[in-house]
Structure formats: C-alpha cells, structure tokens
Amino acid sequence: MAVGLMDRVVGTTIFVGDGTPEDQWTLPGAELVVDAGSADPRFGIMGAAALTLMAVAGNDPKAAQEGVSGAMKACRRTGLFDNPAYRLAALLNTASETLLLDQVVCMLCTPQLQHWAEWLCNAWSAITTFVDDQGSFQVRAGHRPRWIDLANESALERQVSGPANHLTLAFWVDDPGQDVAIGELDTAWLMARELMNQQIHQLVTAGRPVIQVRIPTLAPDAMAELSV
C-alpha cells in the first residue's frame, strides 16, 4: 500500500517498524521517522506536547506506555484486517480518491475529549502538511481536521447543510468517568447519547459519511492507543 501511495501522494511520510533498516520496512527514498507518529517532534505520540498535555489533564504519562505498546504492535501486523493503520489508510484513501472528501471533522460526545481533539488536529496537520512549489511561489498544503461538540448546534448545522466534502469521525466514550454521574436522578449522559445518535442520523440522511469510533474509557492507556 505504501509503495502504491508514494507514486500518487505528494509529501508522503512512511512510518517504519522500529526505525532501523534491519526491520525491512524502509522504502527507497522514503522519509524515515524514528519515533511513532513524530513527523513533527512537537506532536509525536510520546513527544513533549503530548506528555505535557497528559500531565496537565491529570494523567500519568507512564500509564500511557501500555496503550502505545499495544497499539504499535497491532499496527505492525501484516494482515490487512488485523492492522488498524492499514484500515485507516484504506478508509482515508477511498474518502479522498473515490468520494473526493478533502476534510475531516471530529464529533465529540464529551468536553473531556476537547484537549485530545486539539492535539489530534495539530498532529494530523503536522504529519500531512507539506510545501508545494508552484513556479515562483510556494503553497502550504495538507489536512487539518476540525472538531465540534454536542453543544455546538450551529456547527453541526453547517456540516449538514454546507459543502459535502467532509468525512465525520464521531467519537463516543462508553465510560466518561467524571464527566457526569449516571444515576436514577441524573440522565444527562443518557441524553447526550440520544443527542449524538440524532446528529449522526442527520448527517447520514444528508448524505454525509460518518465513521463511529467507540472508546471504552478515557483512561490514559486507552487514549494513547487511540492516538497511535
């Protein structure tokens, strides 16, 4: 897949096994990125920005190592359907090449995901951004996802009635933890679940493709695995 994409995509970055030529993942002429997801070291999975964000959010960066390790192992599998990186690459390539979708929008079910979504947008932008030389001037190109939360009805309306050039990734958390307490007298989280279902239905009815991403918990290891 990487060999095929390199001929068709400008500014491709190839992530190689453990960053050494001995692992046989390196492609001739490809940019070598040693650290996982660190096309820009500021936004690497275990880079300074990510570790600082974890600490500020009250998470233990060391606890995230388990998730990173498990996700990297999965991303090195050779089987297409067992490798989440292959599946995501195939999905995004189809969205771009076949459906002509050039924008990614993240829908968040809880405000607790906002810091992570900001990091995701920065990391995605850093990895995909490149400079296209066009004669006497240069143009910066790449993808920077946007995110909206359930409370932003106007933003969702723009997604429904605006240009149909975006793929929506809807992130749902099974266990939001401290977000709200679920009890007999507190139905806020159940209302959020229903609202998200309705918004996804609106998008699909309007012909906007939506991919639902289910997150079991906001624990550091789970978020680290999702980041990889």
Side-chain angles (χ1 to χ4, degrees):
M1 179 179 290
V3 173
L5 287 178
M6 281 192 67
D7 295 333
R8 302 165 57 190
V9 181
V10 178
T12 303
T13 298
I14 304 299
F15 297 99
V16 299
D18 58 6
T20 62
E22 290 76 14
D23 62 18
Q24 302 299 312
W25 281 51
T26 306
L27 297 177
E31 178 184 358
L32 177 65
V33 180
V34 177
D35 298 324
S38 62
D40 185 322
R42 294 173 299 169
F43 303 115
I45 304 302
M46 290 288 101
L51 294 177
T52 301
L53 180 56
M54 288 183 188
V56 170
N59 296 324
D60 180 4
K62 291 183 179 180
Q65 292 287 356
E66 181 179 350
V68 170
S69 177
M72 290 301 296
K73 183 178 180 181
C75 290
R76 289 178 180 146
R77 291 172 181 161
T78 55
L80 174 62
F81 295 104
D82 295 328
N83 188 321
Y86 282 170
R87 285 184 288 173
L88 180 59
L91 169 67
L92 294 177
N93 185 60
T94 299
S96 175
E97 297 290 330
T98 305
L99 303 178
L100 303 180
L101 306 177
D102 57 7
Q103 298 293 326
V104 174
V105 178
C106 300
M107 181 186 295
L108 311 179
C109 67
T110 167
Q112 291 188 70
L113 280 174
Q114 289 182 4
H115 287 305
W116 179 82
E118 291 172 0
W119 168 86
L120 172 68
C121 294
N122 287 332
W124 200 311
S125 175
I127 290 173
T128 63
T129 296
F130 61 94
V131 177
D132 185 11
D133 288 308
Q134 298 184 358
S136 59
F137 62 94
Q138 295 181 328
V139 177
R140 291 184 62 84
H143 297 281
R144 181 180 181 84
R146 296 181 295 106
W147 57 268
I148 58 176
D149 56 36
L150 292 183
N152 196 336
E153 286 291 335
S154 61
L156 181 71
E157 178 59 30
R158 288 195 296 270
Q159 298 304 116
V160 173
S161 59
N165 64 338
H166 56 269
L167 171 68
T168 299
L169 300 179
F171 293 95
W172 176 261
V173 183
D174 287 343
D175 180 10
Q178 61 184 358
D179 198 22
V180 291
I182 300 179
E184 294 181 357
L185 301 179
D186 190 347
T187 59
W189 188 239
L190 298 178
M191 291 176 62
R193 180 186 295 271
E194 179 61 25
L195 177 59
M196 191 164 193
N197 288 338
Q198 291 180 10
Q199 292 183 340
I200 290 175
H201 178 72
Q202 283 182 272
L203 289 168
V204 173
T205 301
R208 275 47 168 173
V210 180
I211 303 298
Q212 297 191 59
V213 182
R214 180 179 174 183
I215 308 171
T217 174
L218 291 173
D221 58 337
M223 297 308 298
E225 182 175 2
L226 178 64
S227 298
V228 174

